[in-house]
Amino acid sequence: MIDAIIHPMALVFLFVFTHFISLASSADPLAPALYVFGDSLFDSGNNNYLPTAARANFRPYGFDFVDGETGRFTNGRTVPDFFAEFLGLPYAPPYMRLRLSTPLTGLNYASASCGILPETGRRLGKCLNLDEQIDLFEHTVNKQLPKHFKSTEELLQYLSKSLFFVSVGNNDYMSNYFDHKHFDTSTRFTPEAFAQFLVDRLAEKFQRLYNIGARKVVMYEIGPIGCVPSFAKRHEHNGTCHEEANQMAKDFNDKLHVMLQNLTTSLQGSIFVHNHAHWIGYDAVINPPKYGLVDTGNACCETWSNGTSGCIPFRKPCPNPNANYFFDAFHLSETVCNVLASRCMNDTTACTPVLNDVIKM
């Protein structure tokens, strides 16, 4: 295996982000708490406690993570982990592990294989769809957090300063709309209608979060799903990106942008940040050296089904996991997670508005 040749810009991202982390860790946290919602890209171990096949609590997952195989679907840190470091907060622990114990620094409700729609992910077992995740957050706010605050006003102030990170919608395409064997979604919706349907349902859930107390929400758009090995290798057979799927993701993201702007305008005191993960992810696929990557089309770990599945348990990964874009056939390596987090800090082409400005609001 050829070692990755690190592009100067990749070094800049790493240096700047490490500098931010150093500053944050040497002072008070930049936000009181970090709350996480979504799917396997953000799951930190909730599915370990659910009856599902969608788990990552075994090696080689966690190969480069300080705590080993925690249930994160990557070799190291996830995007929320990098944000926690920047904010000077502990990693948000999975809600299902703590249940009754509620740290004031935040929780992670994300659940692998689930999505915006309640039926997405069911065929793999139990997962927490976005409504269920918000139900658990509402329970946290109504039943668990109040004992830590002197008044409702103090609790609401804490929530208004906390940050909420969401990555969801990928599975509604990958494991629903494109899964013709188990779902008839593609026969009931045109791509345009499905994108609008998803965005409308997501808007309802963001309204719920706002009603509970969330004010600063960062939403990651759907990435270039047509480049994911589990999809690209099946549909193109040569591992190149399936551009029709990428275009459908872009259509969703365009509608998402309008929806987030409308929510920010209509919900007093709110800010809904649009993270432009799609173009960054696609750019990293077609320009790998720019991001310190060597392989952007194959899983790093050994998988079943000719490189189109999750990792086979206990097999060694490739020699340099962080030179790969994908760790398994679905999920990102720590390198790509780092880029998707660091670019959001000050780069207006990555986040609108940037996180540094959101923190000060």
Side-chain angles (χ1 to χ4, degrees):
M1 171 69 77
I2 301 174
D3 289 338
I5 301 174
I6 305 299
H7 188 277
M9 282 304 296
L11 290 175
V12 170
F13 296 148
L14 182 59
F15 171 78
V16 171
F17 201 52
T18 303
H19 179 63
F20 281 150
I21 291 170
S22 177
L23 290 177
S25 62
S26 64
D28 292 334
L30 300 178
L34 173 64
Y35 288 96
V36 181
F37 302 83
D39 52 30
S40 53
L41 294 177
F42 281 11
D43 190 350
S44 62
N46 282 306
N47 275 32
N48 296 350
Y49 304 92
L50 299 172
T52 176
R55 292 186 180 181
N57 57 342
F58 54 86
R59 289 296 182 115
Y61 294 109
F63 187 81
D64 298 306
F65 190 63
V66 62
D67 294 323
E69 56 273 31
T70 58
R72 288 165 168 82
F73 287 78
T74 181
N75 60 303
R77 290 163 289 182
T78 63
V79 169
D81 292 333
F82 282 107
F83 279 122
E85 291 179 357
F86 167 71
L87 295 170
L89 294 169
Y91 299 147
Y95 174 87
M96 296 299 292
R97 176 164 63 84
L98 298 184
R99 296 176 185 267
L100 299 179
S101 176
T102 309
L104 289 178
T105 53
L107 285 165
N108 186 319
Y109 302 88
S111 180
S113 79
C114 259
I116 298 168
L117 303 180
E119 63 269 24
T120 297
R122 283 180 178 172
R123 70 182 184 85
L124 294 177
K126 173 61 182 173
C127 63
L128 304 172
N129 62 57
L130 189 54
D131 261 329
E132 291 174 319
Q133 294 176 35
I134 297 172
D135 288 342
L136 294 176
F137 174 64
E138 186 171 27
H139 177 79
T140 300
V141 171
N142 291 340
K143 302 297 183 182
Q144 297 171 285
L145 286 177
K147 61 186 177 182
H148 297 286
F149 296 91
K150 297 177 182 178
S151 65
T152 301
E153 290 72 21
E154 191 178 83
L155 170 58
L156 292 176
Q157 179 70 8
Y158 155 86
L159 292 172
S160 73
K161 296 296 184 182
S162 297
L163 290 172
F164 296 77
F165 287 84
V166 184
S167 174
V168 71
N170 300 279
N171 292 326
D172 294 293
Y173 280 95
M174 298 285 292
S175 302
N176 190 324
Y177 194 84
F178 295 137
D179 185 356
H180 308 305
K181 181 178 179 180
H182 300 94
F183 296 94
D184 65 350
T185 312
S186 62
T187 65
R188 293 186 293 111
F189 293 94
T190 65
E192 171 81 11
F194 185 64
Q196 190 62 59
F197 179 70
L198 277 184
V199 167
D200 290 344
R201 301 291 79 73
L202 183 59
E204 295 168 357
K205 299 174 199 322
F206 281 153
Q207 176 77 61
R208 284 193 64 200
L209 276 177
Y210 177 85
N211 292 341
I212 298 168
R215 293 296 181 268
K216 299 178 179 180
V217 179
V218 181
M219 172 65 191
Y220 270 71
E221 62 184 23
I222 296 176
I225 52 178
C227 302
V228 174
S230 64
F231 190 84
K233 286 179 178 291
R234 289 201 312 268
H235 290 266
E236 293 291 332
H237 303 294
N238 59 4
T240 59
C241 297
H242 190 282
E243 295 303 343
E244 182 180 352
N246 283 341
Q247 184 57 52
M248 291 165 111
K250 289 172 67 176
D251 291 342
F252 170 89
N253 295 331
D254 289 343
K255 297 179 187 302
L256 174 69
H257 183 73
V258 175
M259 181 265 281
L260 295 175
Q261 287 184 320
N262 289 340
L263 287 179
T264 299
T265 301
S266 61
L267 300 179
Q268 184 178 4
S270 72
I271 181 70
F272 286 84
V273 178
H274 182 183
N275 183 286
H276 305 276
H278 187 99
W279 85 260
I280 298 174
Y282 190 75
D283 189 48
V285 169
I286 62 177
N287 297 301
K290 180 178 173 182
Y291 298 86
L293 299 169
V294 173
D295 188 334
T296 61
N298 299 290
C300 167
C301 70
E302 187 176 349
T303 80
W304 287 286
S305 305
N306 191 32
T308 62
S309 74
C311 297
I312 298 175
F314 314 121
R315 301 287 181 89
K316 286 186 177 181
C318 60
N320 189 357
N322 282 317
N324 270 55
Y325 186 108
F326 296 100
F327 187 65
D328 65 12
F330 300 92
H331 303 101
L332 312 174
S333 69
E334 184 182 68
T335 296
V336 181
C337 291
N338 185 4
V339 170
L340 291 176
S342 62
R343 292 287 290 268
C344 191
M345 300 307 166
N346 286 301
D347 186 346
T348 55
T349 68
C351 271
T352 314
V354 296
L355 193 62
N356 271 326
D357 289 342
V358 173
I359 292 169
K360 299 170 186 176
M361 293 177 181

